[in-house]
Amino acid sequence: MRTPKPGPGYNGPTRGAEDAALERIGVSLAAQFGPAPPGELWFGDDAAVIRIADPRLVVATDIAVAGVHADLALLTEEDLGWRAVAATVSDIAAMGARPTHLLSSLCVAPDTDLDGLCAGVAAAAGVWGCIVVGGDLSRSAVAMASITVLGTLEDNPAEALTRSGSRAGERIFVTGPLGSSAAGLRYLRAGELAEGPSAAAIEAHRRPRARVEEGLAARRAGASALMDISDGLLLDLDRMGRSSGVGIVIESVPVDPEATVEEALSGGEDFELLIVTAHPEALLTAFKSAGLRPPVPLGLCTNDPLERLLDGARFEGRGYQHEIG
Amino acid sequence: MRTPKPGPGYNGPTRGAEDAALERIGVSLAAQFGPAPPGELWFGDDAAVIRIADPRLVVATDIAVAGVHADLALLTEEDLGWRAVAATVSDIAAMGARPTHLLSSLCVAPDTDLDGLCAGVAAAAGVWGCIVVGGDLSRSAVAMASITVLGTLEDNPAEALTRSGSRAGERIFVTGPLGSSAAGLRYLRAGELAEGPSAAAIEAHRRPRARVEEGLAARRAGASALMDISDGLLLDLDRMGRSSGVGIVIESVPVDPEATVEEALSGGEDFELLIVTAHPEALLTAFKSAGLRPPVPLGLCTNDPLERLLDGARFEGRGYQHEIG
C-alpha cells in the first residue's frame, strides 16, 4: 500500500510519476471520505489501521480485468472500477453482512484512464458506505481492479449466512428479476444508446447494484442460506445445491422485461441474492418492514442432492466460468 | 471470493474449469491451514468470516504483475506468488504489526502455472503465520497476484508506527545490509546458477523476507517511525522525510557483499525496515532480547525538511517508480 498523502515536507523536485499519481488519488479520497478518526489511519502509509466494532470480521476479494470482466470498447474505466466494487460488496452482502472498508489495487495499461478507474471505485464505495482505506497501483499490460472489502455482522448476534446452510424442504427466493445485465450487454454490443427501453438494462450492466440491505434483512429474518448470483442463476444454484448437499427444483424464474429467458438463467452479474429459508412469512415481513421490494419465490430445496429440475427437466449449472487449465 | 470447497453434494458432471481449479486450490489450502475454528469461515463461500482479538486492525494490499514485478523468464510463478506475499506482509511489518490473515486474487494467462502461483502464495503465507482465508481467480493476458494481508497490533497498547512520526534529531537505523535483491536480479540476468557466492543474492531476489519480528521489536522499543524499503533506499528515505517533514542525513549505508553501492541505494525489494528512534539504546536492547540481528545505524533526521544529504552531497529520491501518467 503506497498512497502517500502530502506531508508537511512535500516540496522537493523528486516526485516520480507513481508518487504523483498516488498523491492525486490520496487528495481525492481525502476529499470524499474525510480525515480518519483518532486511532485510525487510512491511505497514506505502508498499511491502514482501522477500528472494528464487532470481532466477527467478514472479508471478500474480487478482481475485474479489462477484456475479461468488462469490454473497454463498450464500457469506461469508471464502469470497470464500479463493477469490481459492486461484485465484491455483493460477496459481503451474500453473507448478510454490511460492508465497511475497502482496499483497491489497480493496474493500468499505457492507455488506461486511471482517474476514471479511481472515480468508479470511489463512487461505488460511497454508494455502499465503504471507506476506501488503502490500495496499490501498478502498471500492467491490461487494466485491472482488485478489490478487497471488509464487512461487519453488526450488532445482530446471528452468524453469517453461507451457501451451505440450505436444507431439504426449504424455499428458495430471489431478490429481483434476472437477466438485466446480460440484456444490457446485448444492447451495448448492438450499439444501442443508453436511452429508451434499453436504458435501464444498459445501466444494470454498467453500474450493477449490490443488495446489501436485502442480505441484512434475510439474516434478520432467520434465513438458512444466502448467495449472490454473480455467474448465472443455474450455475450459482448448482453451486449452492452442491455446497448444501440438497437438490434444487426451480418453479418459476422472474425475468427482467428486457431480458431473454436464457439471459435470466445464465447471464450472471445481476447480483440479486438467492435466499433459502424455512420461514417464508418472516422473510416477506422483514423485507416489507425494511421498505424493500418483496423477494420473489423461485423454487425449493429437495432431499436428493443430485436433483436439478427446471420445468420438469434436468438443468446443468451453466453460466460464466473462466477458462483455467 | 469463489473458492468452493467440496460440499456433501459434490458429484455431478457440471464442474467448469474455474470451479475445478478453485476446488483443487481449496483442498490444498485446507490441507495446509486446517479447518476453521467454530464461528469462523475460511475459503469456500462468498466471503470469509474471521474473529479479531484486537479491535485495531491493520490492512495492506499489494500487486505483483508478471513482466513488471517479476520477469517470468528468470523467475517462476512460485517466486511471483511468494514475492507478492512478502511485499504485502512487509507493509504490515512496517507498521509494527503482526500479519494474521491473507486473501489472494490471482490472474492467470493461458501459459501460467496456476498451481505454482498458489504454492508460492501459500508457502510465503505459512512462513509469516498468515492463514489464507479467501481469494479470487480470473484469466487475464498476464499473470498477476493481488494480495491483501490483515494484521494485529497484538496486546501491545502502543499505536501503529507510521512513516510520518520521525522528528529532527532522531536516529535512523536499518535492519540489514541492502542491495541483495538487486544483485540477485543482476546475477539471474547474467545467467548465473543459484550456487556459489551468488546463491544468497539470487535467493534474496526470488524469495525476499519480510521483517515481521524486527517491526514488532521496534514498536516495543518505542520507535518513532517505521517504513519498509520496497522501492529503493533513497526513494523511500525521501518519502519518509516528506511524510514526517524532516531532513535526512545519511551517514553510512550497509551494503550487501554481493551488491554494488548503487544497488544498495536504489535497488529496492530487500524489504529491510527503516527505523527512526529517539532511544537507540532501547532499540538495540529490544532486538538483542528478541534474538534479532542488531539494527545498523544509517543516519539522522534533521530540522530542514528539504535537506537530503549523502556523503555531504544532496541526493535525489531515486528508486523504482511505475511509469503512470
Side-chain angles (χ1 to χ4, degrees), chain A residues 187-317:
Chain A
Y187 284 131
L188 282 168
R189 284 179 173 156
E192 298 259 349
L193 294 176
E195 292 171 8
S198 55
I202 289 174
E203 183 70 8
H205 185 72
R206 289 176 60 237
R207 304 293 169 103
R209 298 272 157 176
R211 271 69 184 189
V212 171
E213 299 304 328
E214 288 83 349
L216 289 163
R219 188 161 139 263
R220 270 197 308 272
S224 307
L226 192 60
M227 182 177 179
D228 67 326
I229 306 175
S230 52
D231 294 336
L233 174 66
L234 298 187
L235 179 57
D236 287 326
L237 269 177
D238 179 59
R239 286 168 171 161
M240 187 161 75
R242 288 169 188 270
S243 190
S244 295
V246 297
I248 306 283
V249 174
I250 302 174
E251 293 170 331
S252 73
V253 175
V255 181
D256 182 272
E258 297 300 315
T260 66
V261 170
E262 181 58 32
E263 285 167 346
L265 292 177
S266 65
E269 296 197 326
D270 291 319
F271 301 114
E272 297 290 354
L273 296 177
L274 290 169
I275 307 168
V276 179
T277 183
H279 313 288
E281 285 307 320
L283 184 71
L284 294 167
T285 303
F287 270 60
K288 189 170 185 185
S289 65
L292 299 168
R293 189 170 58 177
V296 184
L298 187 91
L300 79 162
C301 300
T302 65
N303 254 321
D304 175 1
L306 296 183
E307 188 169 46
R308 298 285 184 271
L309 285 184
L310 168 66
D311 293 337
R314 178 169 178 81
F315 71 82
E316 301 296 326

Side-chain angles (χ1 to χ4, degrees), chain B residues 17 62 138 257 272:
Chain B
D62 251 314
S138 173
E272 298 289 355

Side-chain angles (χ1 to χ4, degrees), chain A residues 80-254:
Chain A
L80 177 67
W82 177 292
R83 286 161 57 86
V85 171
T88 321
V89 167
S90 180
D91 282 333
I92 299 292
M95 308 301 285
R98 182 180 295 288
T100 55
H101 300 85
L102 185 147
L103 296 98
S104 146
S105 278
L106 306 176
C107 287
V108 293
D111 61 347
T112 303
D113 172 11
L114 171 62
D115 290 334
L117 191 56
C118 289
V121 168
V127 162
W128 291 294
C130 291
I131 302 161
V132 178
V133 294
D136 193 18
L137 180 60
S138 173
R139 65 184 172 84
S140 168
V142 285
M144 195 269 311
S146 172
I147 304 292
T148 300
V149 175
L150 311 181
T152 176
L153 293 166
E154 294 189 311
D155 50 2
N156 180 341
E159 293 297 311
L161 285 176
T162 68
R163 57 177 69 173
S164 59
S166 317
R167 295 295 167 258
E170 294 181 335
R171 308 297 309 185
I172 309 171
F173 289 81
V174 63
T175 50
L178 301 172
S180 330
S181 178
L185 179 58
R186 170 168 46 82
Y187 284 131
L188 282 168
R189 284 179 173 156
E192 298 259 349
L193 294 176
E195 292 171 8
S198 55
I202 289 174
E203 183 70 8
H205 185 72
R206 289 176 60 237
R207 304 293 169 103
R209 298 272 157 176
R211 271 69 184 189
V212 171
E213 299 304 328
E214 288 83 349
L216 289 163
R219 188 161 139 263
R220 270 197 308 272
S224 307
L226 192 60
M227 182 177 179
D228 67 326
I229 306 175
S230 52
D231 294 336
L233 174 66
L234 298 187
L235 179 57
D236 287 326
L237 269 177
D238 179 59
R239 286 168 171 161
M240 187 161 75
R242 288 169 188 270
S243 190
S244 295
V246 297
I248 306 283
V249 174
I250 302 174
E251 293 170 331
S252 73
V253 175

Side-chain angles (χ1 to χ4, degrees), chain A residues 14 16 91 136 146 316 321, chain B residues 1 14 16 62 136 146 316 321:
Chain A
T14 62
D91 282 333
D136 193 18
S146 172
E316 301 296 326
Q321 292 249 323
Chain B
M1 174 156 3
T14 62
D62 251 314
D136 193 19
S146 172
E316 301 297 326
Q321 291 250 322

